[in-house]
Amino acid sequence: MNRIQRVAGLAMIAALSLNLGAASATLAQTPAAAPAGQEAKPQYTMAEYNSYQAAAAERSPAQQVKALDDFAAKYPNSALMIYVYPLYYQAYSQLKNYQKVIEYADKLVALDKVDAGARYQALYARAFAYNAIVADPAQAKTGATDAALAKSAMAAAVAGLKALDEVKKPDAMTDDAFATQKKQIQIYFNGTAAQAAMVQKDNASAIQYYKAVLALNPDDAITSYRLGLAYMAMTPPQQMDAFWSIARAVTAKGATQAQSTKVKDYLRKLIVNYQQAACDNLTDAELNELLQLASSSPTRPDSYKLPSADDLTAARKDMTMRSVIDELKAGGDKAKVTWLSACGLEFPEVPGKVIEVTPGTDAVQLKVAFVTSEAEFDAATTPNLDVKVVGQPDAAKLEKDSAVHFTGTLVAFDPDPAFMLHWDKAKVKEEDLPKEKGPAKKPAPRRPAAKKPAP
């Protein structure tokens, strides 16, 4: 709503400079001419006119309301009500009685023969009043959540857009100046309609109006963020469009550094919750890619998707170390899903052939070739598993070309041409640790499945 309030100031200036139907300037001081051959019939009496002029001249908003009440009591059906109602809502706006602003703006719009300028001004005043109610902390649980009030505000904002389209450019204003001011007011009306739609939980309409704002101002960070929230509130949630819109808010030129940082953190949490992947570094990589893509396009391409938690669960169902290696080497979208599914998981008793052993103070580093058969064992000369063994100093005694089985957590991988899976917190199978020197044992073929860490 802060965005709407900021635009309100600019829109108010535009409303004044457009000079649309100001009552004091357009009120005729003589009766309208009658048809030929007929005597002119004044639309109002001189007493009505003088009473109106006295109310219009009153500078105190409270005293002006009193004078207008007196006029309305004496002349409830006066032709001058078309000029009285604007005075009412202007005075109540100064008094910050926004419910009354709405009441009298509606009364003006309901009159017959109200031109587009006067109708536009009333509807603008109404939108301003509604936004003030929503922004008032004292009405956080009343006016700001009133669905009926929101429904009428949305309808009035849409009517305001229509009235604005019917307003003719003043002769003294350039085309560019008129277009610029009109654009700001269109943003304001669409933003008001979107806000009112959200209060009603009419997310589809909110999306429509937020998009209309962004079509006029693509770098509006707050509107992009709110559009993302509207997508998230859909049933079912439209996460991909939501992520894209919120990413647009992070990278928008209109966002402050504080806003960008805060929204980026929120977006990361949304992705984590959506995917429930185990490796934080993968989430960061996906987030950075999303921000880069969204910064260059206001619309998400259909091809952009992030695998969900259900997608990752399905990928883990029949996952083996052999399938992980083969799919990562193949590359493409399948490799991305495989890696998101596998990274951070613990794999039990992975079989291999020791190629290199590097003792260390806190850990033993093993370079191992993954093998599942005697033929693979005999042929293996190049490692593809980098295994960090912790809490087992005897692992340093493993000899080159010996057979080994380990249980560890998969944490990273290097793609081809130097393909390597990196493991952490690994433990070598006890019976594989050397007790005394002897011939290497070749592993029996096995197809280890991934085991998800205990929560």
Side-chain angles (χ1 to χ4, degrees):
M1 183 50 62
N2 291 337
R3 166 64 182 162
I4 292 177
Q5 287 179 305
R6 287 200 300 274
V7 173
L10 182 57
M12 180 63 81
I13 294 172
L16 294 175
S17 62
L18 285 175
N19 192 25
L20 308 178
S24 60
T26 59
L27 174 58
Q29 296 191 31
T30 57
Q38 297 182 21
E39 183 180 355
K41 294 183 179 180
Q43 297 179 339
Y44 46 83
T45 66
M46 188 56 67
E48 283 179 70
Y49 177 73
N50 289 337
S51 179
Y52 161 78
Q53 289 285 44
E58 181 59 63
R59 301 276 73 90
S60 165
Q63 291 301 314
Q64 186 175 53
V65 167
K66 185 177 183 301
L68 293 171
D69 286 343
D70 290 342
F71 179 92
K74 292 179 181 177
Y75 312 109
N77 300 314
S78 173
L80 297 178
M81 296 306 288
I82 196 170
Y83 308 110
V84 168
Y85 289 146
L87 294 179
Y88 260 123
Y89 66 66
Q90 291 164 16
Y92 276 122
S93 182
Q94 293 180 66
L95 295 170
K96 298 184 178 181
N97 188 336
Y98 297 116
Q99 292 286 0
K100 286 292 187 180
V101 173
I102 291 173
E103 177 185 339
Y104 282 98
D106 286 346
K107 286 184 176 182
L108 176 67
V109 172
L111 292 175
D112 294 332
K113 299 180 181 179
V114 177
D115 65 25
R119 189 164 63 253
Y120 150 74
Q121 286 187 323
L123 291 167
Y124 173 82
R126 193 192 196 287
F128 187 87
Y130 175 72
N131 289 322
I133 290 171
V134 172
D136 184 0
Q139 300 196 59
K141 295 183 178 180
T142 53
T145 59
D146 188 328
L149 183 63
K151 184 176 181 179
S152 64
M154 186 171 76
V158 173
L161 288 167
K162 182 179 179 182
L164 182 62
D165 282 341
E166 296 172 0
V167 172
K168 297 187 182 303
K169 179 184 74 67
D171 293 338
M173 185 177 289
T174 66
D175 290 344
D176 287 346
F178 183 75
T180 297
Q181 292 185 2
K182 184 175 179 180
K183 175 181 173 181
Q184 292 302 323
I185 299 168
Q186 287 171 325
I187 289 173
Y188 187 66
F189 276 132
N190 277 297
T192 302
Q195 172 69 30
M198 289 295 284
V199 172
Q200 299 173 76
K201 304 189 185 316
D202 182 358
N203 300 303
S205 294
I207 289 169
Q208 172 191 342
Y209 296 122
Y210 282 137
K211 283 185 173 182
V213 172
L214 291 170
L216 297 166
N217 183 16
D219 283 315
D220 184 343
I222 292 177
T223 297
S224 290
Y225 174 73
R226 292 187 179 278
L227 175 59
L229 297 185
Y231 277 123
M232 288 296 295
M234 293 285 283
T235 304
Q238 305 297 306
Q239 284 101 332
M240 292 303 100
D241 289 320
F243 295 168
W244 194 272
S245 296
I246 295 172
R248 291 279 299 172
V250 175
T251 59
K253 294 177 183 177
T256 66
Q257 185 59 50
Q259 287 173 330
S260 181
T261 299
K262 185 174 182 180
V263 175
K264 182 179 179 180
D265 290 344
Y266 174 67
L267 177 57
R268 189 184 188 283
K269 290 177 182 177
L270 289 178
I271 294 174
V272 168
N273 185 63
Y274 176 70
Q275 291 189 318
Q276 299 178 26
C279 285
D280 286 344
N281 61 324
L282 296 186
T283 301
D284 293 333
E286 287 186 308
L287 175 60
N288 291 334
E289 180 186 33
L290 171 59
L291 294 176
Q292 182 179 7
L293 293 171
S295 67
S296 61
S297 175
T299 304
R300 178 185 69 86
D302 292 338
S303 58
Y304 178 80
K305 289 181 174 60
L306 291 177
S308 67
D310 289 342
D311 294 330
L312 302 187
T313 298
R316 294 181 185 118
K317 184 178 179 182
D318 298 317
M319 180 179 287
T320 67
M321 184 46 52
R322 173 61 68 194
S323 70
V324 169
I325 292 174
D326 291 345
E327 288 165 8
L328 290 180
K329 284 188 172 183
D333 291 339
K334 177 64 174 175
K336 292 180 180 180
V337 175
T338 296
W339 183 235
L340 279 167
S341 307
C343 184
L345 299 188
E346 183 183 80
F347 286 74
E349 296 193 14
V350 179
K353 178 180 179 179
V354 177
I355 306 299
E356 183 181 325
V357 180
T358 305
T361 304
D362 300 320
V364 178
Q365 206 76 22
L366 304 179
K367 294 293 178 65
V368 177
F370 173 70
V371 295
T372 58
S373 68
E374 187 172 331
E376 286 182 347
F377 186 91
D378 291 338
T381 59
T382 303
N384 53 11
L385 309 178
D386 176 29
V387 186
K388 182 179 181 181
V389 180
V390 294
Q392 284 185 315
D394 285 346
K397 299 177 183 178
L398 287 166
E399 295 184 352
K400 185 178 183 304
D401 296 332
S402 63
V404 69
H405 301 77
F406 68 88
T407 297
T409 301
L410 188 54
V411 294
F413 91 97
D414 303 325
D416 278 336
F419 184 87
M420 186 72 70
L421 293 177
H422 297 274
W423 303 80
D424 195 12
K425 301 176 183 178
K427 296 287 186 183
V428 174
K429 193 175 181 180
E430 283 294 331
E431 48 262 49
D432 289 343
L433 291 173
K435 302 299 187 294
E436 57 183 77
K437 288 190 177 182
K441 295 180 181 179
K442 298 178 181 180
R446 60 178 70 241
R447 292 172 60 84
K451 182 173 71 177
K452 196 173 182 179

